[in-house]
Amino acid sequence: MLRNLSRRSLLQALAGSTAALPLANLLGTTDAYAQATTPPLRFIAIFTAHGCLPEYWNPQGGETDFNLDFPNSMLQPLQAHRSKLLVLDGLDYQVLYEHGLTGHEGGPLTFLTGSKVNTASGDDLPENASLDQVLAAQIGGATRFRSIQLNAWEQFGGQHVYNSISFTPNGGRVPFERDPAGVYQRLFGNAPSPSQDPGEAAQNTARRKSLLDYLIKDATRLSKRLAGAEKQKLETHLESLRDIERRLGSLSTTPGPTAQQEEPQPEEAACSGGTPPPAFDIGQLGNLDNMPTLTKLHLDLIVRAFACDLTRVATLTIPGPSMPWLGIHEDTHNDLAHRLDVTDEPLRSDIRGKMVKVQRWYAEQVAYLMNGLASIPEGSGTALDNTLILWGNELGDASGHMNVRVPTVLAGGAGGKFRMGRFLRLRPAGSNPLNNWGGPGTPLPGAVAHNKLLVSIAQAFGVNVNTFGHQDFKGPLSGLT
């Protein structure tokens, strides 16, 4: 009978499989029964640079009937996921105008911190922890890694603001990882090797599945003899076992495709680690032509880590000084973003068309991540249903270095914490808080502080705060729930 099987022997039998962590929770306290069947909420922050063209970034249509599939739409690759998007128009980095340094330097720094820029050390740093680190402190204790910080391609050297979006409570940079092979080794170094003898791997998986079959059958028989709260606990137990069984099923499949293919398959995220990424030397990591491959490898690793519950918090920066794989050899910063106000034709159309390509490529990466998470069954849905992705930028008006109307997208199911599938205009159409601004250090009237979004996300993960970053900006962002 189930009640006669020891906790230790059961965990030992399932050791190394995706079953181990949820089953450890299952065999713990009464509260763990509920935890085992409630998929965890996860967070990913993705940072891309250089602003956008609002007329091509923002959806067409209304709040719930918005459309991303129109000519020059920068978000068109996300159309298939529109039911799991919250596109925010009118979010401002108000703290930079009233307390800090605007432009490129301030934007990446305040993106997840909500802090003003502190230059006392001779470096541009925040005065508090970033959101990912606060969430890691809240939920990271249940996983092997509190958080992971990834970088698709290092720009201007490791300490440059474009590479750092994750910060410790005292404002120090959290180191990021560039090499997918190194990330894989850190995540899955103690997991069964992909080169393990197929017969041995199949035997191990079969043994675990056989044990689960026994447990499910035994628990089903026992449930007929129980009533009330005890029966409910056992039903919760059974659902957990069935979820483990579904995940174990992915371990018996052949290793999935490489990161070059369009969509990662469920077996890629198997807790054996799947196929390890290829090794890149320093020169290859610094070769811009490799950035598309490196980006997808990092995204695949996030999906695998989430599927195996190795971490629940991740950040990824995706720069792009130029994009030769798109036929864009110009500097996207100086030659495109800062020239979006050019009026002479055909130069104007050429610059704007290339900027659309740049931002659409970024949107394709977010869609790829969403596809990967959606391929992982979890509970009654998928890992995407229980993930919140924050995709942000440092500029709204790129040509003017302005940090107002910063392009921001929330994606995923967010565990039901937010009402997705909407396009929210946070300020009246045409309003611009800079029209009445008195200059640095003075109030920015009519702005919508992005600190409020950080508060809302923190609260969704159970962090009891009413401010995030600078204390002048209080309360959550209205309209998300």
Side-chain angles (χ1 to χ4, degrees):
M1 295 292 287
L2 174 67
R3 59 181 177 273
N4 294 325
L5 190 61
S6 76
R7 182 180 190 275
R8 177 177 297 178
S9 62
L10 187 54
L11 290 177
Q12 286 176 341
L14 293 173
S17 78
T18 188
L21 178 61
L23 196 59
N25 288 337
L26 178 67
L27 296 173
T29 64
T30 301
D31 289 342
Y33 280 89
Q35 294 169 6
T37 55
T38 302
L41 183 59
R42 308 176 186 90
F43 176 74
I44 305 170
I46 296 177
F47 176 81
T48 61
H50 302 321
C52 69
L53 288 162
E55 62 267 39
Y56 296 148
W57 173 274
N58 284 335
Q60 293 181 352
E63 178 178 339
T64 58
D65 63 349
F66 68 90
N67 176 41
L68 301 175
D69 193 10
F70 57 89
N72 292 319
S73 167
M74 292 177 165
L75 298 183
Q76 191 279 333
L78 294 170
Q79 174 72 11
H81 291 293
R82 61 181 299 282
S83 65
K84 285 186 167 55
L85 298 178
L86 259 174
V87 183
L88 306 179
D89 178 36
L91 205 62
D92 309 309
Y93 289 169
Q94 187 174 357
V95 63
L96 298 183
Y97 290 89
E98 297 188 2
H99 299 284
L101 179 67
T102 61
H104 293 292
E105 292 77 10
L109 184 147
T110 198
F111 167 49
L112 292 180
T113 67
S115 171
K116 70 176 185 178
V117 181
N118 190 324
T119 60
S121 66
D123 193 3
D124 296 334
L125 294 171
E127 296 185 335
N128 53 266
S130 52
L131 177 63
D132 62 299
Q133 292 304 290
V134 172
L135 299 186
Q138 177 76 7
I139 65 175
T143 57
R144 185 182 302 175
F145 303 98
R146 286 160 57 93
S147 64
I148 55 175
Q149 290 72 40
L150 308 178
N151 184 295
W153 193 82
E154 186 179 278
Q155 189 171 357
F156 304 128
Q159 298 303 307
H160 194 272
V161 293
Y162 274 157
N163 299 317
S164 299
I165 60 172
S166 183
F167 298 90
T168 64
N170 64 1
R173 290 185 175 87
V174 177
F176 56 80
E177 298 180 84
R178 299 169 56 195
D179 181 9
V183 177
Y184 177 92
Q185 180 61 33
R186 187 160 79 93
L187 291 173
F188 300 103
N190 295 324
S193 169
S195 61
Q196 181 182 18
D197 177 75
E200 180 184 353
Q203 288 177 359
N204 289 339
T205 301
R207 179 173 60 89
R208 293 164 184 158
K209 293 174 76 172
S210 176
L211 176 58
L212 278 171
D213 288 342
Y214 167 77
L215 291 172
I216 290 171
K217 290 177 182 177
D218 197 46
T220 301
R221 287 195 300 268
L222 182 60
S223 68
K224 298 176 181 178
R225 300 166 52 186
L226 299 175
E230 292 301 319
K231 184 178 180 65
Q232 185 176 1
K233 284 182 186 179
L234 193 58
E235 290 297 327
T236 302
H237 186 150
L238 272 167
E239 182 55 37
S240 295
L241 292 175
R242 294 183 185 112
D243 190 54
I244 293 168
E245 186 178 43
R246 286 194 294 271
R247 292 197 184 193
L248 271 180
S250 69
L251 292 174
S252 60
T253 57
T254 303
T258 67
Q260 301 292 334
Q261 293 179 300
E262 283 302 314
E263 294 184 12
Q265 300 299 313
E267 58 266 26
E268 280 192 299
C271 292
S272 63
T275 304
F280 289 83
D281 60 30
I282 294 298
Q284 291 171 319
L285 289 173
N287 185 341
L288 187 60
D289 288 329
N290 289 329
M291 197 175 93
T293 298
L294 292 168
T295 299
K296 281 189 166 57
L297 288 171
H298 281 308
L299 294 171
D300 288 341
L301 285 167
I302 291 173
V303 171
R304 297 182 193 186
F306 280 10
C308 298
D309 206 25
L310 295 175
T311 190
R312 297 174 185 173
V313 179
T315 62
L316 175 64
T317 55
I318 315 176
S322 62
M323 295 188 174
W325 59 91
L326 298 178
I328 298 174
H329 301 279
E330 297 92 336
D331 180 345
T332 55
H333 172 221
N334 292 313
D335 298 331
L336 297 182
H338 285 308
R339 302 182 71 195
L340 289 174
D341 56 354
V342 166
T343 58
D344 295 338
E345 292 288 6
L347 183 59
R348 176 179 183 271
S349 294
D350 181 61
I351 290 173
R352 292 162 69 88
K354 288 177 178 176
M355 194 65 175
V356 167
K357 287 185 179 180
V358 167
Q359 294 298 338
R360 187 175 285 181
W361 184 83
Y362 287 135
E364 288 172 357
Q365 309 318 300
V366 177
Y368 179 86
L369 172 64
M370 296 179 75
N371 289 340
L373 292 169
S375 74
I376 305 300
E378 187 172 72
S380 60
T382 70
L384 181 62
D385 296 319
N386 303 300
T387 299
L388 176 63
I389 302 167
L390 169 60
W391 175 22
N393 204 297
E394 91 274 31
L395 296 176
D397 176 3
S399 59
H401 277 81
M402 297 294 99
N403 304 111
V404 298
R405 204 181 185 185
V406 177
T408 306
V409 173
L410 298 179
K417 300 293 185 179
F418 300 141
R419 285 191 296 126
M420 310 303 285
R422 294 184 297 147
F423 168 41
L424 294 184
R425 295 177 174 87
L426 304 176
R427 288 195 270 104
S431 68
N432 184 352
L434 294 175
N435 290 339
N436 300 310
W437 185 43
T442 64
L444 190 66
V448 179
H450 92 291
N451 301 68
K452 292 179 175 291
L453 174 61
L454 302 181
V455 169
S456 292
I457 295 175
Q459 289 180 352
F461 281 82
V463 182
N464 185 20
V465 293
N466 196 47
T467 61
F468 200 100
H470 202 284
Q471 297 299 303
D472 280 2
F473 311 103
K474 296 178 169 54
L477 185 64
S478 62
L480 297 184
T481 58

